[in-house]
Amino acid sequence: MTIEIVAVPAFETNYIWLLHDKVSNKTVVVDPGQAEPVLDFIQKKGWEVTQIWNTHWHNDHTGGNEVIKAETGCNIIGPSHESHPIPAIDIKVDEGDEIGLGSLVAKVMAIPAHTLGHVAYYVPDHHVLFCGDTLFAMGCGRIFEGTAEQMWQALQRFAALPPETKVYCGHEYTQDNGHFALTVDPDNQALQKRVKEVDLLRAQGKITLPTTIALEKATNPFMRAKNPEELAKLRKAKDIF
């Protein structure tokens, strides 16, 4: 592999993702809610951070932007159509734009729902997706600014990606999502098996990500929803779970 992807934990449930291109030794930081754990990690590894990719404006995904930029001189890339400004943003992106990082190219997908300007970054040569707070393992994000129709459309777009695509979500919500999924899809044997595996991982203090598009299509009730109305009912039920 010519890339390395590392999770840097932040706050209680966040993951800040570092995508490192081994060919150029350049690194992108995805959604840094905090700066200190990122700077500590890259100092130990000797990695050069040249970019930050923000998926949306929420502070737990952007709070480290300015400090990391001050320390590394990196460019901050984020969505064009957010309701709040992205701190220290340099380059605004939208649907269909492409971003280069060393030997890598990422495609921008506009996926409004969690927030109105939310984007995802897809690296097709490596089948890697950074989806922020839109898709979670066995779940989906809260719909703060958009609609159930937009969330459903976003998940349908993800479902059309190659099944082997690795999905890097913004939070460690997998165990809670899995237990909710069992309440609405109790006879799903693939789901039963996965929840047992996740419970074991969490009992050992281990990360449950990345997931894959294939695994989500088999076990995620929100990915399996047939229409926006069904997704809205699931989202409402999850919110009170």
Side-chain angles (χ1 to χ4, degrees):
M1 291 286 289
T2 59
I3 64 170
E4 183 177 352
I5 301 175
V6 177
V8 176
F11 306 114
E12 293 185 1
T13 66
N14 284 68
Y15 289 127
I16 302 166
W17 296 104
L18 274 60
L19 170 62
H20 179 68
D21 175 31
K22 296 179 182 179
V23 176
S24 64
N25 200 41
K26 294 181 178 180
T27 306
V28 62
V29 182
V30 182
D31 283 346
Q34 292 180 306
E36 291 77 10
V38 172
L39 295 174
D40 288 345
F41 184 88
I42 62 171
Q43 183 178 22
K44 291 174 184 176
K45 296 285 284 188
W47 288 356
E48 177 191 5
V49 171
T50 58
Q51 295 177 12
I52 289 172
W53 296 350
N54 290 136
T55 61
H56 63 292
W57 68 265
H58 287 165
N59 187 65
D60 65 321
H61 292 252
T62 63
N65 278 10
E66 292 173 305
V67 172
I68 295 172
K69 182 176 180 177
E71 289 290 327
T72 67
C74 68
N75 284 321
I76 297 176
I77 298 167
S80 298
H81 302 296
E82 283 289 55
S83 57
H84 293 72
I86 301 289
I89 191 168
D90 297 296
I91 301 169
K92 296 181 179 181
V93 293
D94 200 358
E95 174 70 33
D97 288 337
E98 294 187 346
I99 304 166
L101 176 77
S103 64
L104 306 176
V105 175
K107 295 184 177 181
V108 178
M109 302 172 68
I111 47 168
H114 182 68
T115 66
L116 286 177
H118 203 301
V119 299
Y121 300 93
Y122 175 56
V123 184
D125 287 349
H126 295 277
H127 300 303
V128 165
L129 175 70
F130 297 98
C131 60
D133 284 359
T134 299
L135 173 62
F136 293 123
M138 293 184 282
C140 76
R142 292 178 183 269
I143 303 170
F144 288 118
E145 297 178 357
T147 66
E149 169 73 28
Q150 288 174 318
M151 181 63 78
W152 187 77
Q153 291 291 349
L155 298 186
Q156 294 302 300
R157 292 190 67 189
F158 291 158
L161 295 174
E164 67 271 24
T165 299
K166 291 184 178 180
V167 180
Y168 294 85
C169 317
H171 292 269
E172 180 60 74
Y173 291 159
T174 312
Q175 187 172 40
D176 182 61
N177 287 343
H179 284 262
F180 168 74
L182 283 174
T183 70
V184 297
D185 195 8
D187 298 325
N188 184 329
Q189 293 185 357
L191 174 59
Q192 294 170 9
K193 179 176 181 289
R194 186 179 184 191
V195 171
K196 289 180 181 177
E197 292 170 348
V198 166
D199 284 345
L200 180 60
L201 286 171
R202 294 310 292 157
Q204 298 171 345
K206 294 181 179 179
I207 188 172
T208 63
L209 299 172
T211 180
T212 67
I213 293 297
L215 191 54
E216 294 312 306
K217 290 171 74 171
T219 62
N220 187 331
F222 296 92
M223 286 280 278
R224 294 160 65 83
K226 297 179 177 62
N227 51 57
E229 293 74 25
E230 183 178 340
L231 185 145
K233 290 178 181 178
L234 288 168
R235 187 62 264 177
K236 184 176 180 180
K238 179 64 173 66
D239 288 344
I240 61 175
F241 174 71

